[in-house]
Amino acid sequence: DADVTQTPRNRITKTGKRIMLECSQTKGHDRMYWYRQDPGLGLRLIYYSFDVKDINKGEISDGYSVSRQAQAKFSLSLESAIPNQTALYFCATSDTGSHEQYFGPGTRLTVT
Amino acid sequence: QKEVEQDPGPLSVPEGAIVSLNCTYSNSAFQYFMWYRQYSRKGPELLMYTYSSGNKEDGRFTAQVDKSSKYISLFIRDSQPSDSATYLCAMMSRGNFNKFYFGSGTKLNVKP
């Protein structure tokens, strides 16, 4: 089984709808991250969490919220989806003090 | 100015060629330098990392860091069609709580 899983893998939704993307990990890492990837812009950090009680905004947090339900689970919500949130979303984990991040397979989100 | 700049390509080379991929950065506090490889419809995976300046070799791959010029490179020798992917550079500094900064990625196509 994959160490970092994301659900759903693909989602099409309409403008104004609320949507939640979920991430689970079995690596036992404390740190979890949400990124979005857009062509030409690379990976941009939305939110990150260094433990269950720690949530931090990244560079593009507007329009998004997160919840760290447990060490292994980190969900990303779009309260009212808009078309420019159409992107590929990745969850990642890392161990404290480590240089390496482990990425999930991504969620392709389309907002119409 | 973005903290990490990377030429998006695409870069197309014949099989067996030497490939050079590069990133520049502006933050002199970066100490860890990583290269991730991302195949189509997959999450990025760590390929190589280097701490501070110098070279690191792993099989056909060599990573170079020149901190005086704020410039890093990834060389691929004897490139193979299986090397066709997007390559992202990433950087972090210990003083920034393990936040990672990614380049936008260079798409590489190795033609058989």
Side-chain angles (χ1 to χ4, degrees):
Chain A
D1 287 343
D3 295 320
V4 184
T5 57
Q6 292 183 235
T7 56
R9 293 295 311 278
N10 290 281
R11 180 72 182 266
I12 300 174
T13 192
K14 294 186 183 298
T15 298
K17 293 291 188 182
R18 184 180 188 275
I19 183 168
M20 179 182 289
L21 309 183
E22 297 186 341
C23 176
S24 294
Q25 53 116 345
T26 59
K27 299 193 74 66
H29 291 165
D30 287 328
R31 302 185 172 194
M32 299 188 74
Y33 308 77
W34 275 104
Y35 293 91
R36 64 176 281 176
Q37 188 175 40
D38 300 273
L41 296 177
L43 286 163
R44 292 184 291 166
L45 184 63
I46 306 172
Y47 271 95
Y48 61 102
S49 169
F50 284 168
D51 64 42
V52 175
K53 297 180 181 178
D54 176 78
I55 302 288
N56 303 281
K57 292 183 178 181
E59 60 181 299
I60 53 163
S61 59
D62 288 349
Y64 302 94
S65 63
V66 291
S67 174
R68 185 82 183 266
Q69 300 96 323
Q71 186 204 37
K73 296 184 181 297
F74 192 37
S75 60
L76 176 72
S77 293
L78 287 68
E79 297 301 326
S80 180
I82 56 176
N84 78 359
Q85 291 177 313
T86 293
L88 191 54
Y89 289 85
F90 287 103
C91 173
T93 74
S94 70
D95 205 0
T96 302
S98 172
H99 61 274
E100 183 169 5
Q101 286 192 321
Y102 295 83
F103 285 84
T107 295
R108 187 169 296 277
L109 176 67
T110 303
V111 183
T112 62
Chain B
Q1 181 189 7
K2 291 179 65 175
E3 300 225 35
V4 181
E5 299 278 0
Q6 184 175 8
D7 187 334
L11 184 60
S12 186
V13 301
E15 183 175 353
I18 297 175
V19 176
S20 173
L21 305 169
N22 310 293
C23 289
T24 59
Y25 63 95
S26 57
N27 188 344
S28 58
F30 288 145
Q31 297 173 289
Y32 290 89
F33 303 91
M34 284 73 70
W35 285 96
Y36 282 80
R37 180 174 59 196
Q38 183 179 16
Y39 290 113
S40 181
R41 300 192 180 279
K42 301 285 187 182
E45 56 181 355
L46 183 67
L47 185 61
M48 294 188 70
Y49 89 96
T50 308
Y51 175 72
S52 193
S53 285
N55 294 359
K56 187 170 185 177
E57 189 172 322
D58 183 1
R60 297 184 294 108
F61 299 87
T62 300
Q64 284 187 353
V65 175
D66 182 349
K67 291 191 75 177
S68 63
S69 301
K70 297 189 179 66
Y71 188 87
I72 71 170
S73 301
L74 177 70
F75 297 96
I76 307 174
R77 291 184 300 280
D78 187 24
S79 56
Q80 303 294 309
S82 58
D83 295 328
S84 298
T86 296
Y87 291 80
L88 301 100
C89 61
M91 308 178 187
M92 61 176 265
S93 63
R94 280 217 173 272
N96 209 4
F97 301 104
N98 287 13
K99 281 181 64 178
F100 296 75
Y101 296 84
F102 285 84
S104 57
T106 299
K107 188 169 185 178
L108 172 66
N109 180 36
V110 181
K111 299 172 291 185

